[in-house]
Amino acid sequence: MTDSDAIEYIGRDDNGQGGSGSGLALPYQVLPKRLYIMPLSGRPFLPAQVQPVVLNQDPWDETLQRLDNTSHMTVGLCFVENEADESGSDEDLPAPEQLATMGCAVRVHHVHREDGKIQFIAQGIRRFRIDHWLRREPPYLAEVSYPEEPAEDHEQVKAYTLAIISSIKELLRTNPLYGEEVKHYLSRFGPDDSSPLADFGAAITSARGSELQDILNTVPLLNRLEKVLLLLRKEHEVAQMQAEITEEVNERVQKHQREFFLREQLKIIQRELGIAKDDKTADVDMFRERMAEKSLPENVQERFEDEIEKFQVLEQGSPEYGTTRNYLDWLSQMPWGQHSQDKLDLKEARRVLNRDHDGLDDIKDRILEFLAEGTFKGEISGSILLLVGPPGVGKTSIGKSVASALGREFYRFSLGGMRDEAEIKGHRRTYIGAMPGKFVQALKEVGTNNPVIMLDEIDKIGNSFMGDPASALLESLDPEQNGEFLDHYLDLRIDLSKVLFICTANQLDTIPQALLDRMDTIRLSGYITDEKVDIAKHHLLPKLLKRAGLKKKQLDITDGAIRQVVEGYAREAGVRNLEKQLHKIVRKGIVRMVESEEAERSPIRVGVKDLPDYLGQPWFRKEKALRGVGVVTGLAWTAMGGATMGVEASRIHSQDRGFTLTGQLGDVMKESASIAHSFVSSHLKQYKGDPEFFDRSYIHLHVPEGATPKDGPSAGVTMATALLSLARNEAPHRTLAMTGELTLTGQVLAVGGIREKVIAARRQKINTLILPEANRGDYEELPDYLKEGMEVHFAKEYTDVYRVCFEDSPRRRAH
């Protein structure tokens, strides 16, 4: 016996809600007790629905074939949460446990098979409950029952029914698409059929599948009507919001369309009357007006005419239209033949430099020499200045002062980290987003051909696969070549020979030699205490008070306090940290003013004793220069300026010969230490020491501040003196500092950074120095205020150092 042969039936009563099997029933009013089951994802099917259902032909085709052998053509549709339940893959078929227990019995009409899919019209009949599974693989077969609706209060049901009808009418007004479904419903049921009306009301909403399944599970009519009414209210709110959004969007679109049409009509009317021109004609006229004001070289005039002719024949929708327009825009804004008049007045230049900077007299003199040369020949050109010095010494501000003294426009950009040579020479204009180089951008912005262009941080320029920007600078900074500088974007020769280039750097080591050779180097070594005090009084403090909106009488910092800030909190070569400390005082002073009720009557005065309350304890304390057996002070140069550096030598034991170094020394400094050890060991008898001292001594040489890397040859003399002091068991006769490179034969060679090292010694109150004889000229060139009070000894060989340290009287003066 087949499954279809074993099907039993349940009759329906006159209301279509089912009844017992007794009595006479028409064929379409009978429902089987055993149903074939098919899964349905997305949304469950409700009894009042009539709509198409699409399933994969495999494996559900067999279910429909068996259904053809029945007289009722009824199948059960059950909701399943799994999205892959309708797939033809056996692995993705839902298990019976995944199907909802409550489903909808539907009558199948018009089965159609095409392209592996099955489509049929499903007419919902009645909800059923699965009591027992008879077949757990496709085609699924289950024994089902049809729950009866309990009796309800007729008045309450009627009230809810009218409320649902009213909600459906409101939905029809906001969304007419619901009208077709209402027609299908009315063809089967009347408006007073409360149970199918509830199912229909839920079916037309956009509720989630789980919410609709809850409606299907709810058999009591009153509860179901209440839940459906809530879903319809939510749907009405969503539909109303959607209608408002659609109306707002339509209004905006209509407004824009109306404005567009009106503008187009206005353009046509103006063009017909000769009042206005189209965009392209207006652009052409604008470009010609710009170029008419300039003195164009012949090659630029020819290129401009060629590009204008091409621009006029291009369509506005063409990709080349925008490229050509941008090119003409840049070309027409370049200051062809436009120069600013230089102020060739040395007295005015000196006044500006003195106004903007305290100290730096030698630097000012060097700049005035440069300006005097230009004054003599009638123009400033042909030289590139390179200002080298520690951070915060005023390199950038000097460049601004030079521009102000000359009356030229000033443009600054930083080269730090630049890795693309196109930043200098521009991109080819065929690339998307192409731009000219920085020099073209500078000329366009300042509007003249002879500005002052400052290239900051030229020592920090990068290098990558995109090119070498430092090499790209060679042409632009060479006075013999930059008269015909070629920018890749404009593809025209540009005269940069009238531009005054001022470059800044912290050190010279990272600048390529070919580039360094094209620049005139001016060193800014840093400031001594007196200069810093003047800078703080005349520049930093007035600027900070103005920025804070204070008057000088409201916050007074004494000269002694400023000097203490310089010596105790800001000893670096520049003045940036000094400005930060003064700013801190100003901030704390303002806090005290705001908190004090008598701020207007009692101005705040900051003295030396008040500084710990404002800045805390001093970072730098007054320290005596290191003295003792095996202890010598050296002078070093760093990118931050000059510094004093102690060298200590100690005998660890006398069991065997040995030599160890500490202090994070570089390779060159380690070699200097080895040279010093070898030299002193081989000349101990000459310098009145025990010749066998190092043969039976394990020596430890240390350079303090071990966390700071140190390198360079200039500490050779200092290390040799420390070792000799240890071997003689005698400290140097005087407090002094020294620098110089030592050879194995005892020669003292020249070193760099003499100015910085002298400033470092003055900062530490060390007045006696030993310098290489080869650096005598460097010392003599220093300003008098740096040499004042200094006792300097020049050493040609180490014997000269020995005499100063161990033989000469401290009263002996420098020669």
Side-chain angles (χ1 to χ4, degrees):
M1 179 183 296
T2 64
D3 295 330
S4 59
D5 295 334
I7 293 177
E8 301 178 8
Y9 298 96
I10 298 177
R12 290 177 58 132
D13 59 20
D14 294 338
N15 293 327
Q17 297 300 320
S20 65
S22 61
L24 185 63
L26 296 175
Y28 64 87
Q29 292 177 324
V30 295
L31 293 172
K33 292 183 62 177
R34 297 177 181 178
L35 275 178
Y36 289 110
I37 305 298
M38 301 177 75
L40 198 63
S41 65
R43 291 164 59 91
F45 209 93
L46 293 169
Q49 285 183 271
V50 177
Q51 67 179 32
V53 175
V54 180
L55 299 171
N56 288 337
Q57 189 169 352
D58 184 19
W60 309 117
D61 190 35
E62 185 178 355
T63 302
L64 292 178
Q65 289 178 1
R66 296 196 180 194
L67 199 63
D68 289 339
N69 298 327
T70 65
S71 60
H72 53 78
M73 291 296 290
T74 303
V75 69
L77 297 179
C78 292
F79 177 64
V80 61
E81 291 283 354
N82 185 8
E83 294 291 338
D85 60 296
E86 298 173 16
S87 171
S89 172
D90 294 339
E91 297 179 358
D92 296 331
L93 288 176
E97 292 77 10
Q98 295 178 269
L99 274 65
T101 304
M102 188 74 76
C104 179
V106 301
R107 186 155 288 120
V108 177
H109 302 280
H110 308 296
V111 179
H112 179 68
R113 297 172 176 84
E114 185 177 358
D115 297 332
K117 298 289 184 180
I118 302 176
Q119 180 176 339
F120 58 87
I121 303 298
Q123 176 188 354
I125 302 175
R126 190 174 177 184
R127 49 178 46 80
F128 69 86
R129 181 182 291 108
I130 297 176
D131 295 332
H132 177 65
W133 284 95
L134 301 177
R135 183 181 177 91
R136 304 180 68 86
E137 295 180 358
Y140 295 137
L141 182 64
E143 189 173 299
V144 300
S145 60
Y146 301 90
E148 296 288 341
E149 296 177 2
E152 304 282 1
D153 184 351
H154 181 70
E155 294 300 326
Q156 284 187 319
V157 169
K158 184 176 181 180
Y160 273 107
T161 301
L162 292 176
I164 289 176
I165 292 174
S166 176
S167 297
I168 293 175
K169 288 180 179 179
E170 291 177 358
L171 282 178
L172 285 174
R173 282 195 292 269
T174 57
N175 191 346
L177 294 177
Y178 294 122
E180 291 298 323
E181 297 190 40
V182 172
K183 290 180 182 178
H184 286 297
Y185 170 79
L186 293 176
S187 66
R188 299 176 58 209
F189 305 100
D192 296 330
D193 293 334
S194 301
S195 180
L197 180 65
D199 294 335
F200 171 74
I204 64 174
T205 66
S206 59
R208 298 191 304 271
S210 57
E211 293 175 326
L212 295 180
Q213 182 62 40
D214 181 45
I215 299 297
L216 192 62
N217 292 340
T218 305
V219 178
L221 180 58
L222 197 57
N223 291 344
R224 193 173 357 133
L225 288 169
E226 184 178 356
K227 292 180 179 180
V228 171
L229 184 60
L230 181 61
L231 290 181
L232 286 170
R233 290 300 183 191
K234 290 181 180 179
E235 188 72 15
H236 176 67
E237 292 177 2
V238 172
Q240 191 173 14
M241 188 181 303
Q242 183 179 1
E244 291 175 358
I245 294 173
T246 303
E247 183 179 358
E248 183 178 353
V249 171
N250 289 337
E251 288 179 359
R252 291 182 181 179
V253 172
Q254 291 172 2
K255 180 180 178 182
H256 287 308
Q257 287 178 341
R258 183 172 179 272
E259 290 177 354
F260 173 76
F261 287 127
L262 288 176
R263 287 197 193 98
E264 292 300 317
Q265 290 174 357
L266 180 61
K267 288 180 182 178
I268 294 173
I269 293 171
Q270 290 177 337
R271 195 181 308 126
E272 290 294 331
L273 295 176
I275 300 175
K277 308 166 186 177
D278 59 16
D279 293 341
K280 185 191 295 186
T281 305
D283 286 341
V284 171
D285 291 345
M286 178 185 67
F287 295 146
R288 291 193 180 278
E289 288 175 6
R290 287 179 182 175
M291 298 299 270
E293 301 172 357
K294 300 176 173 62
S295 175
L296 301 181
E298 185 178 349
N299 62 327
V300 176
Q301 183 68 46
E302 291 177 358
R303 175 64 62 84
F304 175 72
E305 293 298 336
D306 291 343
E307 294 295 331
I308 279 289
E309 290 179 7
K310 181 173 70 173
F311 179 69
Q312 288 175 326
V313 300
L314 287 173
E315 294 293 335
Q316 293 190 7
S318 169
E320 196 173 354
Y321 179 86
T323 303
T324 305
R325 190 195 180 285
N326 289 339
Y327 178 82
L328 286 169
D329 189 40
W330 277 100
L331 186 65
S332 61
Q333 293 190 75
M334 287 292 292
W336 304 108
Q338 296 180 338
H339 301 82
S340 61
Q341 188 67 33
D342 288 339
K343 298 178 183 177
L344 301 177
D345 187 346
L346 287 185
K347 291 183 179 180
E348 176 64 14
R350 186 183 296 275
R351 188 192 67 81
V352 171
L353 291 174
N354 290 332
R355 178 198 66 191
D356 296 341
H357 300 87
D358 283 307
L360 302 177
D361 291 338
D362 54 337
I363 306 301
K364 295 176 185 175
D365 291 340
R366 176 65 185 85
I367 292 175
L368 288 173
E369 292 171 6
F370 170 76
L371 297 179
E373 183 183 3
T375 302
F376 186 77
K377 67 179 181 180
E379 62 176 356
I380 305 292
S381 62
S383 182
I384 292 91
L385 300 181
L386 172 61
L387 304 178
V388 182
V393 295
K395 300 185 293 296
T396 302
S397 61
I398 285 178
K400 292 181 180 178
S401 298
V402 171
S404 176
L406 288 174
R408 290 192 179 191
E409 297 292 335
F410 180 79
Y411 186 89
R412 171 193 169 274
F413 66 92
S414 176
L415 296 172
M418 184 181 290
R419 295 176 176 270
D420 189 355
E421 69 176 37
E423 294 281 342
I424 303 296
K425 306 199 71 173
H427 306 82
R428 301 289 181 187
R429 62 171 167 150
T430 53
Y431 297 125
I432 295 176
M435 291 281 288
K438 285 290 185 182
F439 295 126
V440 171
Q441 296 179 36
L443 296 180
K444 173 194 170 186
E445 182 168 330
V446 299
T448 64
N449 274 331
N450 60 337
V452 175
I453 297 181
M454 171 160 280
L455 309 179
D456 248 343
E457 313 294 350
I458 198 170
D459 58 327
K460 299 176 181 62
I461 197 166
N463 194 350
S464 71
F465 67 92
M466 291 182 288
D468 182 7
S471 298
L473 284 173
L474 294 178
E475 178 188 1
S476 57
L477 297 185
D478 191 339
E480 302 297 328
Q481 301 180 37
N482 61 12
E484 293 186 350
F485 174 76
L486 179 64
D487 182 85
H488 290 162
Y489 181 82
L490 293 181
D491 198 24
L492 288 170
R493 298 290 177 178
I494 302 171
D495 185 6
L496 297 180
S497 62
K498 307 300 181 184
V499 177
L500 175 57
F501 292 100
I502 301 180
C503 307
T504 69
N506 296 130
Q507 56 189 8
L508 301 178
D509 300 347
T510 56
I511 303 177
Q513 186 61 40
L515 183 58
L516 186 61
D517 184 59
R518 287 165 165 80
M519 297 184 284
D520 190 0
T521 303
I522 301 177
R523 292 184 176 273
L524 288 78
S525 303
Y527 301 102
I528 60 176
T529 300
D530 292 338
E531 292 175 333
K532 283 189 174 183
V533 171
D534 290 339
I535 292 172
K537 290 166 57 179
H538 300 153
H539 300 283
L540 301 181
L541 192 55
K543 180 176 69 174
L544 292 172
L545 293 176
K546 182 179 180 181
R547 186 190 304 171
L550 292 174
K551 297 179 180 178
K552 185 177 180 180
K553 63 180 181 180
Q554 292 179 291
L555 179 63
D556 182 29
I557 305 177
T558 64
D559 293 352
I562 293 176
R563 182 173 293 274
Q564 176 60 21
V565 172
V566 172
E567 295 181 345
Y569 300 88
R571 286 190 183 178
E572 78 287 349
V575 293
R576 283 209 183 100
N577 190 42
L578 174 59
E579 183 177 6
K580 291 177 183 177
Q581 301 307 316
L582 293 176
H583 193 194
K584 190 174 182 180
I585 294 175
V586 171
R587 292 199 307 268
K588 290 184 178 292
I590 293 174
V591 171
R592 297 190 180 189
M593 286 183 182
V594 173
E595 293 178 347
S596 173
E597 296 180 357
E598 300 181 354
E600 292 294 333
R601 290 178 291 174
S602 55
I604 292 180
R605 181 180 176 86
V606 181
V608 176
K609 295 181 180 179
D610 302 319
L611 287 180
D613 295 336
Y614 286 86
L615 302 179
Q617 294 301 316
W619 303 345
F620 304 98
R621 303 181 184 276
K622 292 183 179 180
E623 298 177 358
K624 294 183 179 179
L626 297 176
R627 291 200 63 184
V629 175
V631 180
V632 180
T633 301
L635 297 173
W637 179 91
T638 68
M640 300 297 290
T644 56
M645 178 180 63
V647 176
E648 302 172 342
S650 177
R651 185 182 189 184
I652 305 303
H653 57 74
S654 58
Q655 297 177 2
D656 57 356
R657 181 184 179 93
F659 186 61
T660 185
L661 294 170
T662 56
Q664 198 170 348
L665 309 181
D667 293 338
V668 176
M669 204 163 184
K670 289 178 181 178
E671 292 175 358
S672 296
S674 299
I675 292 171
H677 183 256
S678 299
F679 174 77
V680 174
S681 298
S682 60
H683 293 80
L684 264 180
K685 185 176 180 180
Q686 177 184 347
Y687 297 126
K688 300 179 183 180
D690 182 2
E692 298 179 356
F693 177 80
F694 288 106
D695 295 335
R696 58 178 184 271
S697 300
Y698 190 92
I699 305 299
H700 185 171
L701 186 70
H702 175 65
V703 182
E705 297 187 18
T708 304
K710 312 168 191 70
D711 202 5
S714 64
V717 168
T718 310
M719 292 178 172
T721 305
L723 292 172
L724 183 58
S725 171
L726 179 65
R728 288 169 54 93
N729 195 27
E730 179 183 0
H733 293 170
R734 63 186 73 197
T735 301
L736 49 74
M738 62 187 69
T739 183
E741 180 178 357
L742 182 66
T743 69
L744 277 175
T745 58
Q747 302 298 312
V748 179
L749 304 183
V751 294
I754 295 299
R755 179 189 176 101
E756 291 86 347
K757 293 175 180 178
V758 172
I759 291 175
R762 293 186 67 94
R763 196 179 295 130
Q764 293 293 333
K765 302 296 191 294
I766 299 176
N767 299 325
T768 304
L769 304 179
I770 298 178
L771 304 178
E773 175 66 32
N775 289 115
R776 182 187 290 270
D778 297 329
Y779 178 78
E780 296 295 338
E781 290 179 356
L782 294 180
D784 292 338
Y785 68 86
L786 288 181
K787 297 186 289 184
E788 183 180 358
M790 301 297 292
E791 179 183 346
V792 180
H793 301 266
F794 296 97
K796 188 173 183 179
E797 55 187 21
Y798 186 76
T799 303
D800 300 328
V801 178
Y802 166 75
R803 292 194 188 102
V804 175
C805 294
F806 300 104
E807 289 187 352
D808 289 356
S809 167
R811 295 181 180 178
R812 182 183 176 97
R813 304 303 298 172
H815 60 279

